[in-house]
Amino acid sequence: MVFHMQPYGIQGLLKEGHKHLSGLDEAVLKNIDACKQLTLITRTSLGPNGMNKMIINHLDKLFVTNDAATIVNELEVQHPAAKILVLAGKAQQEEIGDGANLTISFAGEILQNAEELIRMGLHPSEIISGYTKAINKTIELLEELVEEGSENMDVRSKVEVVSRMKAAVSSKRFGEEDILCPLIADIVVFTGGVDTSATETKGTVLIQNAEQLEKYAKTEEAKVEELIKAVADSGAKVVVSGAAVGEMALHFCERYKLMVLKISSKFELRRFCRTTGAVALLKLSPPNPDNLGYADSVSVEEIGGARVTIVKNDEAGNLVTSVVLRGSTDSILDDLERAVDDGVNTYKAMCRDSRILPGAAATEIELARKLKEFSFKETGLDQYAIAKFAESFEMVPKILADNAGLNAMEIISSLYAEHAAGNTKVGIDIEEGVCKDVSNLNIWDLYVTKFFALKYATDAACTVLRVDQIIMSKPAGGPKRDQPAGMDED
Amino acid sequence: MSLRVLNPNAEVLNKSAALHMNINAAKGLQDVLKTNLGPKGTIKMLVGGAGDIKLTKDGNTLLKEMQIQNPTAVMIARTAVAQDDTSGDGTTSTVIFIGELMKQSERYIDEGMHPRVLVDGFDIAKRATLEFLENFKTHVVMGETPDKEILKMVGRTTLRTKLYEALADQLSDIVVNAVLCVRKPEEPIDLFMVEIMHMRHKFDVDTRLIEGLVLDHGSRHPDMKRRAENCYILTCNVSLEYEKSEVNAGFFYSTAEQRETMVTAERRQVDEKVLQIIELKNKVCSDNESNFVVINQKGIDPPSLDLLARAGIIALRRAKRRNMERLVLACGGEAVNSVDNLTPDCLGWAGLVYEHVLGEEKYTFVENVKNPHSCTILIKGPNDHTIAQIKDAIRDGLRSIKNTLEDEAVVLGAGAFEVAARQHLINNVKKTVQGRAQVGIEAFADALLVVPKTLAENSGLDTQDVIISLKNEHENGNIVGLNHHTGEPIDPQMEGIFDNYSVKRQIINSVPVIASQLLLVDEVIRAGRNMRKPS
């Protein structure tokens, strides 16, 4: 008797196992709560003194990091609303490559403030309109705060680049210097394999007696030798192959004193071509002098048990650099890699837009101060939302101070005092625990990073606020994952 | 029970139980979708089985994504989805109208009215409403150059019910221009000629219309140019790679030389084709200022790519078949199936071709084309659910513009039509009918009001106040709709709120039919064996 007792409403309509949440209390506030929990995790990792998280993912891989993008990625967030925040963080990571933590933490903060507003009796739609106004104003203010003269930057000037990168990299690995080493004989590059050629159609060697077999092998050999000789004659010293190198070809390479490298990754091959200026050849044929590349030296060295081939090209025209990362454990190496990645991404973003803002929470405090002034001028209920939005910016100095073990309230109040006195570039010096002018400390943030982070955060928060009903279907089956092994067990 | 005799395992609901089950299901579905209606409708978050998120305000998407099991609800959902298939919009209205019609009927049935009588009344009311719609609609002349303003208003009315305001306004421009771009006189509009492409990048407001084409792949050779201006475009469907013969062929050789010659012979065929293309390129691009782009539907193998790259040609392989059609429409020229006898006439032209790399994905833009008949809407958004939401909305927006162009008419929106139709039914039609069918007409007329009522409810206004003030205005001969910001009556014409004529007609046509069917059910039987459950 399945449908005798049809319950009324949506419960009766849907498949078993689904969940339906609706209304302010059930959907909106619960969503906010979930987002808050997520930010509680990420916020302690913000800034140079942020704490590390130890995460073991479903594959039992251990991550020790304070990179928010990695944290939320490995957490496998299930709650749909919190997931929106995670997605915003990911979008930021893809767009800029840095600032994911700011995105998530800020979104969480404005949601938390939205909750207070909802409890005060404001409707989510009013909060959304207030927040939208606030973010538009923030973008305007942000542009005003841009450090003068920073639009034009020489991307090759090391000093300027380093000053911009410091903030991004140091928040991941404070106190450890990255050694950026520009690591970069005539070289031939073949994308195809270095081996005897073959037809696409199946070939059969027609052999009737032993003599013929011997003869065939001989001609084959002669052919390969001829080719390799031609390559060697063209002046090449190193042969790089994208695919397998035949035994016989290897033998002749040895005889003609050619060095053979096998690079199976297509991208690595391309990078190699960039470094040496070689043109990748498709077929094994004698190369033109134009197609040859050049490198100062190619050597095989042993670094920590692994054999690496170093191709050096210190002459002008070097377009590729490699970074060799060294660390004692895998997790340190992983984290280092992410830090370098962030640095490189910042550099990339910098090439697009090199404007910078004062770092170390100076910008945030200034934004908070100016937005508050703006909110007083606003009529209507929006002004509450704008004021709360402004207040949310205090989160950044607060966390920076907290993470550095300083008294947050004291720092914030003295920051406000300094800013009100007109010193708009005063931020926190976490090492000494005092407020200082950041232009002396040389801590700068990129304008684009802030811009996208704040925008994505607000977008995500507004999306969460807009949802008033959640319909969740039953989680799909699929193979059950192994239960994580207990910590105490061996 | 007689059925028990026939099949002891059958389940049965009869008489009023069956009827109430249907009514309850209709009302339940109405409750779910009610909050979606109108520009102030709220967003629903759907979480799929795999934890994927979908945010939507669109009734159609919601009905498709919700796993509805109740048989009556499934029936209603199917009607609503059919509504979307034919006219592209109005799903939510269909569902809530059905629900309301059932609700009104329930009242009369509880008072002892027979469903059959109500159904008769529905039928009369339906015909009268359709007639009224014919007179009520506003004609729009769509000649050679349609009135863009009206189209934009229609587009905006539709889009605002799916997205938030600022984005909707921006998109309405885009959809209008897109449809006008693909529109050809004397031919039905083929919306497939508007390519919809998405990039996970930047913000939703960066969505834009590209007069030209965006392909979701790039050239496969590292040495090809990333950006080229003044491009001749060869659209072809020629395989530029070695193809195995159909018969089982093999080579027999006894020395390595013999094999070498076979290898070259094998390639020659393909190389010749490539050389023909290069020859054409040299013919048309003699001045060094123009470039040559080959877009091939079939494959191009690495040796051919290499040859083309050396000749300075940008080559793209494995383009979508539909894009080949669009390319010809956008750039001109014709799609060739063989490289023999190529002439410069076969070539299309584009002012700018460039490649955009986004993470792992590559996109090729073909822009600045002359006189395009195909275009691309490039959707941008920071995450998948935003993109999906915009995509659904754009699809509906395009349909609404197409409908307007085909109907050559629009209907005043904001609930104005519904209130006016009710007035007409009560004041004029009801009096012409004798007997109990009047009740059916009354139920139908009252049910029509559900649209303005729900609009008001979603905007946080007092439903009764709004309905009364709207009714009064109509009583005085003013045709007004609801201003959902203030709750005051407004003139939809002035505000530019227009609905599609065909959408409204479809709603009025299908809703009474399905409601009548549901009302006339007197037994629900579940018989037959359930294969899943062992009994």
Side-chain angles (χ1 to χ4, degrees):
Chain A
M1 297 296 144
V2 184
F3 51 45
H4 259 243
M5 290 287 134
Q6 281 290 342
Y8 174 74
I10 187 170
Q11 257 64 34
L13 303 177
L14 298 177
K15 254 189 188 162
E16 280 169 43
H18 76 95
K19 264 195 240 165
H20 177 239
L21 309 165
S22 73
L24 211 57
D25 280 326
E26 223 178 286
V28 183
L29 292 181
K30 276 211 174 144
N31 283 345
I32 292 176
D33 195 49
C35 297
K36 230 161 63 184
Q37 300 302 328
L38 179 74
T39 28
L40 279 184
I41 298 174
T42 58
R43 65 197 299 170
T44 50
S45 296
L46 191 80
N49 276 359
M51 303 305 253
N52 277 352
K53 309 278 166 204
M54 204 181 227
I55 304 159
I56 299 168
N57 74 355
H58 65 276
L59 295 172
D60 274 345
K61 186 169 159 54
L62 174 71
F63 289 84
V64 181
T65 182
N66 57 12
D67 181 43
T70 319
I71 298 174
V72 292
N73 215 353
E74 299 305 330
L75 274 180
E76 292 190 30
V77 174
Q78 292 282 332
H79 194 282
K83 218 167 178 177
I84 288 183
L85 250 59
V86 173
L87 287 174
K90 273 191 193 159
Q92 168 78 8
Q93 187 71 16
E94 277 171 28
E95 193 71 35
I96 306 291
D98 186 29
N101 203 343
L102 179 64
T103 314
I104 296 170
S105 304
F106 189 70
E109 186 70 19
I110 55 176
L111 279 173
Q112 192 172 352
N113 284 330
E115 184 186 346
E116 283 170 34
L117 291 171
I118 289 173
R119 295 211 191 279
M120 260 167 66
L122 253 70
H123 192 262
S125 67
E126 281 152 349
I127 301 176
I128 292 170
S129 89
Y131 278 4
T132 319
K133 269 188 195 159
I135 188 71
N136 290 340
K137 184 74 187 168
T138 309
I139 301 298
E140 266 174 48
L141 292 172
L142 212 54
E143 246 159 75
E144 286 169 19
L145 291 176
V146 167
E147 181 71 5
E148 270 175 50
S150 64
E151 311 83 272
N152 304 315
M153 184 200 65
D154 182 9
V155 282
R156 301 230 165 246
S157 136
K158 215 167 174 180
V159 183
E160 285 189 50
V161 172
V162 168
S163 74
R164 286 164 170 81
M165 291 238 289
K166 214 167 134 193
V169 178
S170 70
S171 67
K172 308 291 182 294
R173 283 269 141 198
F174 188 56
E176 278 177 40
E177 277 225 338
D178 282 324
I179 310 155
L180 285 152
C181 2
L183 297 178
I184 299 293
D186 288 350
I187 291 170
V188 191
V189 182
F190 296 109
T191 43
V194 177
D195 205 350
T196 50
S197 50
T199 51
E200 301 249 3
T201 315
K202 205 174 142 196
T204 313
V205 186
L206 208 58
I207 292 166
Q208 271 144 353
N209 50 35
E211 263 165 58
Q212 271 183 357
L213 177 65
E214 205 172 314
K215 209 171 120 203
Y216 176 74
K218 280 241 170 73
T219 52
E220 186 109 285
E221 257 173 54
K223 200 80 211 164
V224 176
E225 182 172 3
E226 189 187 312
L227 277 169
I228 302 289
K229 188 167 181 293
V231 172
D233 286 350
S234 69
K237 292 276 186 297
V238 181
V239 175
V240 179
S241 157
V245 180
E247 287 277 316
M248 207 195 303
L250 209 57
H251 165 76
F252 285 109
C253 287
E254 175 69 40
R255 185 183 285 180
Y256 286 98
K257 300 274 176 279
L258 290 174
M259 179 173 178
V260 181
L261 277 179
K262 194 179 135 195
I263 300 177
S264 45
S265 150
K266 199 168 83 181
F267 294 98
E268 209 168 22
L269 201 66
R270 231 172 252 181
R271 235 174 288 157
F272 195 87
C273 289
R274 280 279 290 277
T275 320
T276 58
V279 177
L281 299 173
L282 277 164
K283 265 172 65 183
L284 189 62
S285 60
N288 291 328
D290 304 352
N291 297 342
L292 289 178
Y294 176 80
D296 280 348
S297 73
V298 180
S299 58
V300 179
E301 279 180 29
E302 228 175 77
I303 300 182
R307 271 154 62 102
V308 295
T309 308
I310 297 173
V311 181
K312 270 201 181 138
N313 198 0
D314 291 333
E315 275 189 22
N318 185 14
L319 296 166
V320 181
T321 56
S322 308
V323 180
V324 178
L325 298 176
R326 304 186 64 172
S328 46
T329 62
D330 277 352
S331 55
I332 291 182
L333 268 179
D334 281 349
D335 210 30
L336 216 57
E337 192 179 330
R338 282 190 289 269
V340 171
D341 214 39
D342 276 7
V344 173
N345 281 323
T346 320
Y347 184 82
K348 233 166 83 184
M350 205 180 329
C351 293
R352 264 190 291 168
D353 187 346
S354 65
R355 285 178 290 173
I356 48 174
L357 296 163
T363 311
E364 279 79 6
I365 285 291
E366 190 59 20
L367 284 174
R369 202 173 61 88
K370 291 217 168 130
L371 261 183
K372 258 193 200 148
E373 280 170 25
F374 171 70
S375 75
F376 296 140
K377 290 176 200 146
E378 204 56 31
T379 54
L381 289 170
D382 294 349
Q383 62 162 290
Y384 290 107
I386 300 174
K388 281 285 176 202
F389 192 90
E391 228 170 75
S392 312
F393 281 112
E394 285 174 14
M395 168 212 67
V396 177
K398 186 169 172 289
I399 295 172
L400 282 181
D402 270 348
N403 289 349
L406 307 170
N407 186 334
M409 289 332 282
E410 248 172 52
I411 295 273
I412 290 175
S413 60
S414 56
L415 277 176
Y416 268 127
E418 288 275 2
H419 280 251
N423 304 324
T424 55
K425 282 184 206 155
V426 172
I428 314 172
D429 181 352
I430 42 168
E431 277 176 78
E432 292 176 32
V434 286
C435 300
K436 270 191 186 169
D437 194 328
V438 287
S439 41
N440 298 332
L441 291 173
N442 219 357
I443 302 172
W444 302 102
D445 284 333
L446 270 186
Y447 167 76
V448 272
T449 315
K450 279 250 152 53
F451 171 82
F452 277 101
L454 295 180
K455 208 131 191 245
Y456 278 138
T458 317
D459 268 10
C462 288
T463 313
V464 172
L465 287 175
R466 273 199 195 103
V467 173
D468 87 323
Q469 267 192 36
I470 306 177
I471 299 169
M472 290 165 90
S473 54
K474 191 179 175 182
K480 275 228 172 74
R481 276 186 193 137
D482 292 335
Q483 287 295 315
M487 289 293 192
D488 298 331
E489 278 174 64
D490 231 316
Chain B
M1 242 182 286
S2 54
L3 190 77
R4 287 262 182 265
V5 183
L6 301 173
N7 180 352
N9 289 329
E11 298 170 38
V12 67
L13 282 180
N14 50 11
K15 291 287 151 50
S16 68
L19 197 61
H20 279 106
M21 182 193 117
N22 282 342
I23 291 173
N24 275 342
K27 284 200 312 203
L29 206 58
Q30 183 194 2
D31 276 348
V32 179
L33 287 188
K34 199 163 72 176
T35 47
N36 275 350
L37 190 80
K40 286 267 169 106
T42 50
I43 295 183
K44 303 226 177 332
M45 183 189 258
L46 293 162
V47 184
D52 46 324
I53 296 175
K54 190 150 197 178
L55 291 167
T56 188
K57 228 172 119 181
D58 182 25
N60 180 40
T61 321
L62 197 61
L63 287 174
K64 273 191 187 158
E65 300 285 325
M66 276 195 318
Q67 296 170 319
I68 302 174
Q69 239 186 0
N70 181 300
T72 318
V74 169
M75 210 163 134
I76 298 172
R78 281 208 194 123
T79 324
V81 171
Q83 161 82 26
D84 186 83
D85 288 344
T86 43
S87 53
D89 197 10
T91 1
T92 313
S93 308
T94 309
V95 173
I96 64 168
F97 193 20
I98 292 174
E100 189 66 18
L101 213 47
M102 300 295 278
K103 208 191 264 176
Q104 296 291 342
S105 312
E106 188 186 19
R107 223 178 76 214
Y108 291 107
I109 289 168
D110 285 348
E111 282 169 13
M113 182 70 82
H114 193 273
R116 174 64 69 190
V117 184
L118 283 173
V119 168
D120 287 344
F122 286 174
D123 201 42
I124 298 166
K126 177 181 125 186
R127 261 179 285 136
T129 317
L130 282 174
E131 262 168 48
F132 178 72
L133 179 65
E134 287 303 320
N135 300 326
F136 189 80
K137 70 180 181 188
T138 317
H139 279 279
V140 191
V141 186
M142 295 292 163
E144 278 295 297
T145 47
D147 183 0
K148 258 195 185 177
E149 283 309 307
I150 279 266
L151 291 178
K152 261 183 216 169
M153 288 175 200
V154 176
R156 201 170 56 207
T157 313
T158 311
L159 287 169
R160 277 201 184 175
T161 64
K162 323 267 175 217
L163 299 165
Y164 63 93
E165 229 164 84
L167 187 59
D169 291 358
Q170 189 193 350
L171 288 183
S172 48
D173 274 357
I174 292 176
V175 290
V176 170
N177 288 333
V179 175
L180 291 183
C181 176
V182 298
R183 177 173 182 252
K184 285 190 204 162
E186 311 294 321
E187 268 180 52
I189 299 168
D190 186 0
L191 286 183
F192 281 122
M193 288 305 118
V194 179
E195 163 86 321
I196 297 177
M197 201 66 189
H198 63 263
M199 280 165 105
R200 214 168 72 197
H201 183 47
K202 290 194 175 164
F203 301 108
D204 42 12
V205 285
D206 291 311
T207 302
R208 65 190 180 112
L209 177 76
I210 289 168
E211 300 210 329
L213 213 61
V214 181
L215 305 161
D216 56 353
H217 49 102
S219 63
R220 293 300 301 267
H221 197 279
D223 294 344
M224 283 180 185
K225 280 191 202 167
R226 297 276 175 271
R227 187 187 170 88
E229 280 169 28
N230 296 328
C231 305
Y232 289 98
I233 298 192
L234 176 67
T235 318
C236 55
N237 184 10
V238 181
S239 165
L240 293 179
E241 57 191 348
Y242 178 75
E243 303 232 339
K244 281 219 164 83
S245 56
E246 302 255 338
V247 287
N248 202 358
F251 283 146
F252 292 95
Y253 45 79
S254 49
T255 63
E257 277 86 23
Q258 276 179 0
R259 197 188 50 199
E260 285 303 297
T261 46
M262 277 167 181
V263 170
T264 40
E266 215 177 46
R267 280 244 29 106
R268 196 184 305 136
Q269 210 184 355
V270 182
D271 285 349
E272 263 167 23
K273 286 191 208 162
V274 177
L275 288 176
Q276 264 171 321
I277 294 175
I278 294 175
E279 197 183 316
L280 180 70
K281 187 248 170 184
N282 290 337
K283 200 155 61 178
V284 294
C285 302
S286 48
D287 53 353
N288 270 338
E289 282 191 10
S290 36
N291 285 290
F292 201 86
V293 180
V294 177
I295 297 175
N296 197 357
Q297 192 184 329
K298 290 227 172 73
I300 306 177
D301 61 4
S304 310
L305 270 178
D306 206 47
L307 274 175
L308 290 168
R310 272 170 211 204
I313 296 175
I314 300 174
L316 281 106
R317 64 180 182 190
R318 305 215 189 281
K320 278 189 282 182
R321 198 192 61 81
R322 192 165 269 151
N323 270 341
M324 304 306 280
E325 248 175 84
R326 291 186 186 127
L327 257 177
V328 173
L329 283 171
C331 312
E334 53 184 283
V336 291
N337 287 313
S338 139
V339 288
D340 300 331
N341 306 325
L342 280 178
T343 59
D345 295 342
C346 312
L347 299 175
W349 192 87
L352 181 64
V353 175
Y354 64 95
E355 196 181 290
H356 187 105
V357 184
L358 206 69
E360 306 265 296
E361 311 272 320
K362 278 185 180 174
Y363 297 86
T364 308
F365 288 69
V366 180
E367 272 189 78
N368 295 354
V369 292
K370 288 179 196 156
N371 196 15
H373 283 293
S374 174
C375 56
T376 306
I377 296 178
L378 183 67
I379 302 175
K380 291 193 179 179
N383 36 44
D384 290 337
H385 57 82
T386 315
I387 292 171
Q389 205 182 349
I390 298 176
K391 216 179 209 170
D392 286 337
I394 282 187
R395 208 184 57 107
D396 289 352
L398 289 173
R399 292 277 284 277
S400 74
I401 306 290
K402 182 182 173 225
N403 286 340
T404 317
L405 285 169
E406 285 173 356
D407 296 343
E408 303 204 322
V410 288
V411 181
L412 292 179
F417 167 72
E418 282 78 8
V419 180
R422 177 189 177 270
Q423 214 78 1
H424 171 73
L425 286 176
I426 298 285
N427 293 348
N428 308 329
V429 183
K430 202 175 130 188
K431 287 171 190 148
T432 62
V433 180
Q434 296 291 316
R436 292 189 296 174
Q438 278 191 358
V439 180
I441 298 173
E442 214 172 294
F444 190 92
D446 284 339
L448 276 173
L449 285 184
V450 71
V451 174
K453 260 188 209 163
T454 316
L455 280 177
E457 201 181 319
N458 287 347
S459 313
L461 303 167
D462 188 297
T463 326
Q464 300 309 325
D465 275 355
V466 166
I467 294 297
I468 286 170
S469 69
L470 284 181
K471 272 190 201 162
N472 283 343
E473 287 287 329
H474 277 261
E475 211 67 63
N476 296 336
N478 300 327
I479 298 197
V480 291
L482 168 71
N483 181 339
H484 62 84
H485 291 296
T486 59
E488 300 293 314
I490 43 153
D491 182 1
Q493 185 117 36
M494 297 292 287
E495 297 291 317
I497 306 170
F498 295 105
D499 284 332
N500 273 159
Y501 161 73
S502 52
V503 172
K504 282 269 183 287
R505 207 189 52 194
Q506 179 72 20
I507 293 176
I508 294 167
N509 249 323
S510 63
V511 167
V513 174
I514 190 83
S516 309
Q517 277 176 353
L518 291 176
L519 284 177
L520 291 179
V521 168
D522 78 332
E523 255 179 62
V524 180
I525 301 168
R526 187 192 318 235
R529 197 161 294 141
N530 191 341
M531 301 306 274
R532 292 205 195 131
K533 267 186 281 177
S535 54

